[in-house]
Amino acid sequence: MVPHLITALTGPINELEQRVLESMPAIERWFRLEWMEHTPPFYSSVDLRNAGFKLAPVDTNLFPGGFNNLTPEMLPFAVQAAMSAIEKICPEAKNLLLIPENHTRNSFYLSNIATLIRIFTQAGLNVRLGSLDEAITAPTELALADGSSLTVEPLLRTRGRLGLKGFDPCTILLNNDLSAGIPRVLEHLHEQYLLPPLHAGWALRRKSQHFKAYEDVAKRFSKLLGMDPWLINPLSVPVEGLDFSEGQGLEALQTHVDAVLSKTRRKYKEYGIQEKPFVVVKPDAGTYGMGVMTVRDAKEVLELSRRCRNKMSVSKDCQAVHQVLVQEGVVTHERVNDAVAEPVVYMMDRYVVGGFYRIHADRGMDENLNAPGASYVPLAFSQASQLPRPGEKPGASAPNRFYMYGVIARLGMLAASYELEVTDPEAEVYA
C-alpha cells in the first residue's frame, strides 16, 4: 500500500519522479562514484516530507532506533548490508558489542535492539549488550513485549579495550546518540572499531553542519538532473546565543525566521504554490522530536508563552538549548487513512534496507510527527517485486515513488558522509 498523496497529478514532484526514473542509470553511476571517494555511515535513517511540489529530507539520524518497525521481508536486505559493512571494516570480526540507549525499559526501543541483534547474529557475529548506565552493575534481564528478554551487562574497560566480562569484541556498535556527552569509557580505544564514531553523536554533531553538507550534495545532484535544487533541499540557517528560558536572543531568532520565510515565499511565487510558508525551529543538536516548534509568522517568536519557551529550552537528556536550526517547513500531503504521514527510509552501509511511514492522527500537515502518539506503517522499499518501473505514469506506481524516496534518502546519507569527514577531529590534525 502507499498513502494517498493529496496533490495534483501534474505537480513538480511527478515531474521530478519522471526525471529520476529516466535518469536512473546516471543516478546509480553517480552514487557508485561517490561511494568510491566517501565512506557511508554504518547505518542511518532519513525522515522525508512530500509536499507534492517538493520532496526533501528534514532529519538524518546516525543512530536509528526503529529497526523493529521494518517488516520481516526487509530483514534479509539488512543482513546482507550488515555483512557488507562488517567485511569492509573488520573482515575477521567475530564479536560485536552493542551499546544501547540508557532508557532501555522502553518496550518499543527494546524491540529495536532485539531486531538489531537478530540482524547482526544472522550476519555471522556473536552479539552481546553492554550499557553505559552506571546503574547496571551486573547482568540484567529486560523483558520484551513478546515475552522474551534481553540481557544487558556492565561495560568493562581493560588496557585500552572495551568489552564485557569474558567478551572481547572487535567492533563496538553504538545505538546511543551520546546526547548527554561522550563517556570517558568510549575514548581512546585500542585496535577496536567504534561505529558510528564519537563525533557522530549529538555531544559534538550539529544539524546545521549536516544540512550545509546536504545543500552541497543537492546542488551537485540537481546539476546532474538539470533541475532546481530547491525542489529537494529545505532552506535552513543556524541561530546561536539563545536562552529561551530567559528570553535572550529571540530578536535574532525572529530575524532569521523572517529571512527564511521571505526566501520561501519567493520560491512559492516562482512555482505558483498557494500554500502558506512556515518554518520549523529545532535544536541544532538533539533528537527524539524534543524542543521543536512550527512558526508561521516571525512575530510569533517574540510572543512565545513561558510554557513554550520552557519547552524549547531543553532537549533530550535535559541538555540546555542555546543554538537552533531554523528550517524551511515542508508540508506533507500524504495520508494513511485520515492520519498525516511521512516516509522514513532506513539504510545500512550504502544500501536502502527498508522503511516505514510515520503517521500521527493528532498532528497537522505542517507539524512535527515525531511525537508521542505517532504510529508506524512499514513498507518494503527494496523487495525484488518492488523494483521501479520506468515508463509508468508518474504518481501512479508505489515502487516508483519508493525508488524516488530511496534516492533522496541516499542523498541525505551521502551528506552525512561529507559531514563526518569535515568534522572528524583526527582528520583536522593531519590537515
Side-chain angles (χ1 to χ4, degrees), residues 239-301:
V239 183
E240 301 178 353
L242 294 166
D243 188 329
F244 282 98
S245 60
E246 298 297 327
Q248 294 178 3
L250 296 185
E251 293 84 359
L253 177 59
Q254 181 188 38
T255 298
H256 285 90
V257 166
D258 189 54
V260 174
L261 285 172
S262 297
K263 290 179 182 178
T264 306
R265 285 190 198 98
R266 287 196 291 271
K267 296 304 290 188
Y268 279 19
K269 184 176 180 180
E270 177 184 342
Y271 283 94
I273 296 164
Q274 301 302 312
E275 305 275 358
K276 183 177 180 179
F278 66 100
V279 301
V280 175
V281 179
K282 58 181 76 171
D284 206 12
T287 183
Y288 281 74
M290 297 180 66
V292 178
M293 69 176 177
T294 299
V295 181
R296 300 168 185 84
D297 188 319
K299 295 178 183 177
E300 298 172 19
V301 173

Coordinates of all heavy atoms in Angstrom, one line a residue, residues 239-301:
V239 N 21.0 29.5 14.4 CA 21.0 30.7 15.2 C 21.6 30.3 16.6 O 21.2 29.4 17.2 CB 19.5 31.2 15.4 CG1 19.5 32.5 16.2 CG2 18.8 31.4 14.0
E240 N 22.6 31.1 17.0 CA 23.3 30.8 18.2 C 22.9 31.9 19.3 O 22.2 32.8 19.0 CB 24.8 30.9 18.0 CG 25.3 29.9 16.9 CD 26.8 30.0 16.7 OE1 27.4 30.9 17.2 OE2 27.3 29.1 16.0
G241 N 23.5 31.7 20.5 CA 23.3 32.6 21.6 C 21.9 32.8 22.1 O 21.5 33.8 22.6
L242 N 21.2 31.7 22.2 CA 19.8 31.7 22.7 C 19.7 31.2 24.1 O 20.5 30.4 24.5 CB 18.9 30.8 21.8 CG 18.7 31.3 20.3 CD1 18.1 30.1 19.5 CD2 17.8 32.5 20.3
D243 N 18.8 31.8 24.8 CA 18.4 31.3 26.1 C 16.9 31.5 26.2 O 16.4 32.6 26.6 CB 19.1 32.1 27.3 CG 18.9 31.4 28.6 OD1 17.8 30.8 28.8 OD2 19.7 31.5 29.5
F244 N 16.2 30.4 25.9 CA 14.7 30.5 25.8 C 14.1 30.9 27.1 O 13.2 31.6 27.2 CB 14.1 29.3 25.2 CG 14.3 29.1 23.7 CD1 15.3 28.4 23.2 CD2 13.4 29.8 22.9 CE1 15.4 28.2 21.8 CE2 13.5 29.6 21.5 CZ 14.5 28.9 20.9
S245 N 14.6 30.2 28.2 CA 14.0 30.4 29.5 C 14.1 31.9 29.9 O 13.2 32.4 30.6 CB 14.7 29.5 30.5 OG 16.1 29.8 30.6
E246 N 15.2 32.6 29.5 CA 15.4 34.0 29.9 C 14.9 34.9 28.8 O 15.0 36.2 29.0 CB 16.9 34.2 30.3 CG 17.4 33.5 31.4 CD 16.7 33.8 32.7 OE1 16.3 35.0 32.9 OE2 16.5 32.9 33.6
G247 N 14.5 34.4 27.6 CA 14.1 35.2 26.5 C 15.2 35.9 25.8 O 15.0 36.9 25.1
Q248 N 16.5 35.4 25.9 CA 17.6 36.0 25.3 C 17.8 35.5 23.9 O 17.6 34.3 23.6 CB 18.9 35.8 26.1 CG 18.9 36.4 27.5 CD 20.1 36.1 28.3 OE1 21.0 35.4 27.8 NE2 20.2 36.6 29.5
G249 N 18.1 36.4 23.0 CA 18.4 36.1 21.6 C 17.2 35.9 20.7 O 17.3 35.5 19.5
L250 N 16.0 36.2 21.2 CA 14.8 36.0 20.4 C 14.7 36.9 19.3 O 14.1 36.6 18.3 CB 13.6 36.1 21.3 CG 13.5 35.0 22.4 CD1 12.1 35.1 23.2 CD2 13.6 33.6 21.8
E251 N 15.3 38.2 19.4 CA 15.2 39.1 18.3 C 16.0 38.6 17.1 O 15.6 38.7 16.0 CB 15.8 40.5 18.7 CG 14.9 41.2 19.8 CD 15.2 40.7 21.2 OE1 16.1 39.8 21.4 OE2 14.6 41.3 22.1
A252 N 17.2 38.0 17.4 CA 18.0 37.4 16.3 C 17.3 36.3 15.7 O 17.3 36.1 14.5 CB 19.4 37.0 16.8
L253 N 16.6 35.4 16.5 CA 15.8 34.3 16.0 C 14.7 34.8 15.1 O 14.5 34.2 14.0 CB 15.3 33.5 17.2 CG 14.4 32.3 16.8 CD1 15.2 31.3 15.9 CD2 13.9 31.6 18.1
Q254 N 14.0 35.8 15.5 CA 12.9 36.4 14.7 C 13.4 36.8 13.4 O 12.8 36.6 12.3 CB 12.3 37.6 15.5 CG 11.1 38.2 14.7 CD 10.6 39.5 15.4 OE1 11.4 40.2 15.9 NE2 9.3 39.7 15.3
T255 N 14.6 37.5 13.4 CA 15.2 38.0 12.1 C 15.5 36.8 11.1 O 15.2 36.9 9.9 CB 16.5 38.8 12.4 OG1 16.2 39.9 13.2 CG2 17.1 39.2 11.1
H256 N 16.0 35.7 11.6 CA 16.3 34.6 10.8 C 15.1 33.9 10.3 O 15.0 33.4 9.2 CB 17.3 33.7 11.5 CG 18.7 34.2 11.6 ND1 19.2 34.9 12.6 CD2 19.8 34.0 10.7 CE1 20.4 35.3 12.4 NE2 20.8 34.7 11.3
V257 N 14.1 33.8 11.2 CA 12.8 33.2 10.8 C 12.2 34.0 9.7 O 11.7 33.4 8.7 CB 11.9 33.1 12.0 CG1 10.4 32.8 11.6 CG2 12.3 32.0 13.0
D258 N 12.2 35.3 9.8 CA 11.6 36.1 8.8 C 12.4 36.0 7.5 O 11.8 36.0 6.4 CB 11.7 37.6 9.2 CG 10.9 38.5 8.3 OD1 9.7 38.2 8.0 OD2 11.5 39.5 7.8
A259 N 13.7 35.9 7.5 CA 14.5 35.7 6.3 C 14.2 34.4 5.6 O 14.0 34.4 4.4 CB 16.0 35.8 6.6
V260 N 14.1 33.3 6.3 CA 13.7 32.0 5.7 C 12.3 32.0 5.1 O 12.1 31.5 4.0 CB 13.9 30.8 6.7 CG1 13.4 29.5 6.1 CG2 15.4 30.7 7.1
L261 N 11.4 32.6 5.9 CA 10.0 32.8 5.4 C 10.0 33.6 4.1 O 9.3 33.2 3.1 CB 9.1 33.4 6.4 CG 8.7 32.5 7.6 CD1 8.0 33.4 8.7 CD2 7.8 31.4 7.2
S262 N 10.7 34.7 4.0 CA 10.8 35.5 2.8 C 11.3 34.8 1.6 O 10.8 34.8 0.5 CB 11.6 36.8 3.1 OG 11.0 37.6 4.1
K263 N 12.4 34.0 1.8 CA 13.0 33.2 0.7 C 12.0 32.2 0.3 O 11.9 31.9 -0.9 CB 14.3 32.6 1.2 CG 15.4 33.5 1.4 CD 16.7 32.8 1.9 CE 17.8 33.8 2.1 NZ 19.0 33.1 2.7
T264 N 11.3 31.6 1.2 CA 10.3 30.5 0.8 C 9.2 31.1 0.1 O 8.7 30.5 -0.9 CB 9.8 29.8 2.1 OG1 10.9 29.3 2.9 CG2 8.9 28.6 1.7
R265 N 8.7 32.3 0.5 CA 7.6 32.9 -0.3 C 8.0 33.2 -1.7 O 7.2 33.0 -2.6 CB 7.3 34.3 0.4 CG 6.5 34.1 1.7 CD 5.9 35.5 2.2 NE 5.6 35.4 3.6 CZ 6.3 35.8 4.6 NH1 7.5 36.3 4.3 NH2 5.9 35.7 5.8
R266 N 9.3 33.6 -1.9 CA 9.7 33.9 -3.3 C 9.7 32.6 -4.1 O 9.3 32.6 -5.3 CB 11.1 34.5 -3.3 CG 11.1 36.0 -2.8 CD 12.4 36.7 -3.1 NE 13.6 36.2 -2.4 CZ 14.0 36.6 -1.2 NH1 13.3 37.6 -0.6 NH2 15.0 36.1 -0.6
K267 N 10.1 31.5 -3.5 CA 10.1 30.2 -4.3 C 8.7 29.8 -4.5 O 8.3 29.3 -5.6 CB 10.9 29.1 -3.5 CG 12.3 29.4 -3.3 CD 13.1 29.6 -4.7 CE 13.2 28.4 -5.5 NZ 14.1 28.6 -6.7
Y268 N 7.8 30.0 -3.6 CA 6.4 29.6 -3.8 C 5.8 30.5 -4.9 O 5.0 29.9 -5.7 CB 5.6 29.9 -2.5 CG 5.7 28.8 -1.4 CD1 6.7 27.9 -1.5 CD2 4.8 28.7 -0.4 CE1 6.8 26.9 -0.5 CE2 4.8 27.7 0.6 CZ 5.9 26.8 0.5 OH 6.0 25.8 1.5
K269 N 6.1 31.7 -5.0 CA 5.6 32.6 -6.0 C 6.1 32.1 -7.4 O 5.4 32.1 -8.4 CB 6.0 34.0 -5.8 CG 5.4 35.0 -6.8 CD 5.8 36.5 -6.4 CE 5.2 37.4 -7.4 NZ 5.6 38.9 -7.1
E270 N 7.4 31.7 -7.4 CA 8.0 31.3 -8.7 C 7.3 30.0 -9.2 O 7.1 29.9 -10.4 CB 9.5 30.9 -8.4 CG 10.3 30.4 -9.6 CD 11.7 30.0 -9.2 OE1 12.2 30.5 -8.2 OE2 12.3 29.2 -10.0
Y271 N 6.9 29.1 -8.3 CA 6.2 27.9 -8.7 C 4.7 27.9 -8.7 O 4.1 26.9 -8.9 CB 6.8 26.7 -7.9 CG 8.1 26.3 -8.3 CD1 9.3 26.8 -7.7 CD2 8.3 25.4 -9.3 CE1 10.5 26.4 -8.0 CE2 9.6 25.0 -9.7 CZ 10.7 25.5 -9.1 OH 12.0 25.1 -9.4
G272 N 4.2 29.1 -8.3 CA 2.7 29.2 -8.3 C 2.1 28.4 -7.1 O 1.0 27.9 -7.3
I273 N 2.8 28.2 -6.0 CA 2.3 27.4 -4.9 C 1.4 28.3 -4.0 O 1.8 29.4 -3.6 CB 3.5 26.8 -4.1 CG1 4.3 25.9 -5.0 CG2 3.0 26.1 -2.9 CD1 5.7 25.6 -4.5
Q274 N 0.3 27.8 -3.7 CA -0.7 28.5 -2.9 C -0.6 28.3 -1.4 O -1.3 28.9 -0.6 CB -2.1 28.2 -3.3 CG -2.4 28.5 -4.8 CD -2.1 30.0 -5.2 OE1 -2.6 30.9 -4.5 NE2 -1.4 30.2 -6.2
E275 N 0.3 27.4 -0.9 CA 0.4 27.1 0.5 C 1.0 28.3 1.2 O 1.7 29.2 0.7 CB 1.4 25.9 0.7 CG 1.0 24.7 -0.1 CD 0.0 23.8 0.7 OE1 -0.3 24.2 1.8 OE2 -0.4 22.8 0.1
K276 N 0.7 28.4 2.5 CA 1.3 29.4 3.4 C 2.6 28.9 3.9 O 2.7 27.8 4.6 CB 0.4 29.8 4.5 CG 1.0 30.9 5.4 CD 0.0 31.4 6.5 CE 0.6 32.5 7.3 NZ -0.3 33.0 8.4
P277 N 3.8 29.6 3.7 CA 5.0 29.1 4.1 C 5.2 29.1 5.7 O 4.5 29.9 6.3 CB 6.1 30.0 3.5 CG 5.3 31.2 3.2 CD 3.9 30.8 2.9
F278 N 6.0 28.2 6.2 CA 6.3 28.2 7.6 C 7.7 27.7 7.8 O 8.3 27.2 6.9 CB 5.2 27.3 8.3 CG 5.4 25.8 8.0 CD1 6.0 24.9 8.8 CD2 4.8 25.3 6.8 CE1 6.1 23.6 8.5 CE2 4.9 24.0 6.5 CZ 5.5 23.1 7.3
V279 N 8.2 27.8 9.0 CA 9.5 27.3 9.4 C 9.3 26.4 10.6 O 8.4 26.5 11.3 CB 10.5 28.4 9.7 CG1 10.7 29.3 8.5 CG2 10.2 29.1 10.9
V280 N 10.3 25.5 10.7 CA 10.4 24.7 11.9 C 11.7 25.0 12.6 O 12.8 25.1 12.1 CB 10.4 23.2 11.5 CG1 10.6 22.3 12.8 CG2 9.1 22.8 10.8
V281 N 11.5 25.3 13.9 CA 12.7 25.7 14.8 C 13.0 24.5 15.6 O 12.1 24.0 16.3 CB 12.4 26.9 15.6 CG1 13.6 27.2 16.5 CG2 12.0 28.1 14.8
K282 N 14.2 24.0 15.5 CA 14.6 22.7 16.3 C 16.0 22.9 16.9 O 16.8 23.6 16.3 CB 14.5 21.5 15.3 CG 15.4 21.6 14.1 CD 15.3 20.4 13.2 CE 14.0 20.4 12.4 NZ 14.0 19.4 11.4
P283 N 16.3 22.2 17.9 CA 17.6 22.2 18.5 C 18.7 21.8 17.4 O 18.4 20.9 16.7 CB 17.6 21.2 19.6 CG 16.1 21.1 20.0 CD 15.4 21.3 18.7
D284 N 19.8 22.5 17.4 CA 20.8 22.2 16.4 C 21.5 20.9 16.8 O 22.2 20.2 16.0 CB 21.9 23.3 16.4 CG 22.6 23.4 15.0 OD1 22.1 22.7 14.1 OD2 23.6 24.1 14.9
A285 N 21.4 20.5 18.0 CA 21.9 19.2 18.5 C 20.7 18.5 19.2 O 20.1 19.0 20.1 CB 23.1 19.3 19.4
G286 N 20.4 17.2 18.8 CA 19.4 16.5 19.6 C 18.4 15.8 18.7 O 18.4 16.0 17.5
T287 N 17.6 15.0 19.3 CA 16.8 14.1 18.6 C 15.5 13.9 19.4 O 15.2 14.6 20.3 CB 17.5 12.8 18.2 OG1 16.6 12.0 17.5 CG2 17.9 12.0 19.5
Y288 N 14.7 12.8 19.0 CA 13.5 12.5 19.7 C 12.4 13.5 19.6 O 11.4 13.5 20.3 CB 13.8 12.2 21.2 CG 14.4 10.8 21.4 CD1 15.7 10.6 21.1 CD2 13.6 9.8 22.0 CE1 16.3 9.3 21.3 CE2 14.2 8.5 22.2 CZ 15.5 8.3 21.8 OH 16.0 7.0 22.0
G289 N 12.5 14.4 18.6 CA 11.5 15.4 18.4 C 11.2 16.4 19.5 O 10.2 17.0 19.6
M290 N 12.2 16.5 20.4 CA 12.0 17.4 21.6 C 12.4 18.8 21.2 O 13.4 19.1 20.4 CB 12.8 16.9 22.8 CG 12.4 15.6 23.3 SD 13.4 15.0 24.7 CE 12.9 16.3 25.9
G291 N 11.8 19.8 21.8 CA 12.1 21.2 21.6 C 11.9 21.7 20.2 O 12.7 22.5 19.6
V292 N 10.9 21.2 19.5 CA 10.6 21.6 18.1 C 9.3 22.4 18.1 O 8.3 22.1 18.7 CB 10.4 20.3 17.3 CG1 10.1 20.7 15.8 CG2 11.7 19.5 17.3
M293 N 9.3 23.5 17.3 CA 8.1 24.3 17.1 C 7.9 24.8 15.7 O 8.9 25.0 15.0 CB 8.1 25.5 18.1 CG 9.1 26.6 17.8 SD 8.9 28.0 19.0 CE 10.2 29.0 18.4
T294 N 6.7 24.9 15.3 CA 6.4 25.4 14.0 C 6.0 26.9 14.1 O 5.3 27.3 15.0 CB 5.1 24.6 13.4 OG1 5.5 23.3 13.3 CG2 4.7 25.2 12.0
V295 N 6.6 27.7 13.2 CA 6.4 29.2 13.2 C 5.9 29.6 11.8 O 6.5 29.3 10.8 CB 7.6 29.9 13.6 CG1 7.4 31.4 13.6 CG2 8.2 29.5 14.9
R296 N 4.7 30.2 11.8 CA 4.1 30.7 10.5 C 4.3 32.1 10.3 O 4.1 32.6 9.2 CB 2.6 30.3 10.5 CG 2.4 28.8 10.6 CD 1.0 28.4 10.9 NE 0.8 27.0 11.1 CZ 1.0 26.4 12.3 NH1 1.4 27.1 13.4 NH2 0.8 25.1 12.5
D297 N 4.6 32.9 11.4 CA 4.8 34.3 11.3 C 5.9 34.7 12.2 O 5.9 34.3 13.4 CB 3.5 35.1 11.6 CG 3.6 36.6 11.4 OD1 4.7 37.2 11.7 OD2 2.6 37.1 10.9
A298 N 6.9 35.5 11.7 CA 8.1 35.8 12.6 C 7.7 36.5 13.9 O 8.4 36.4 14.9 CB 9.0 36.7 11.8
K299 N 6.5 37.2 13.9 CA 6.1 37.9 15.1 C 5.9 36.9 16.2 O 5.9 37.3 17.4 CB 4.8 38.6 14.8 CG 5.0 39.8 13.8 CD 3.6 40.4 13.6 CE 3.7 41.6 12.5 NZ 2.4 42.2 12.2
E300 N 5.5 35.6 15.9 CA 5.2 34.7 16.9 C 6.4 34.4 17.8 O 6.3 34.0 19.0 CB 4.8 33.3 16.3 CG 3.6 33.4 15.4 CD 3.3 32.1 14.7 OE1 3.9 31.1 15.1 OE2 2.6 32.1 13.7
V301 N 7.6 34.6 17.3 CA 8.9 34.3 18.1 C 8.9 35.2 19.4 O 9.3 34.7 20.4 CB 10.1 34.6 17.2 CG1 11.4 34.4 18.1 CG2 10.1 33.6 16.1

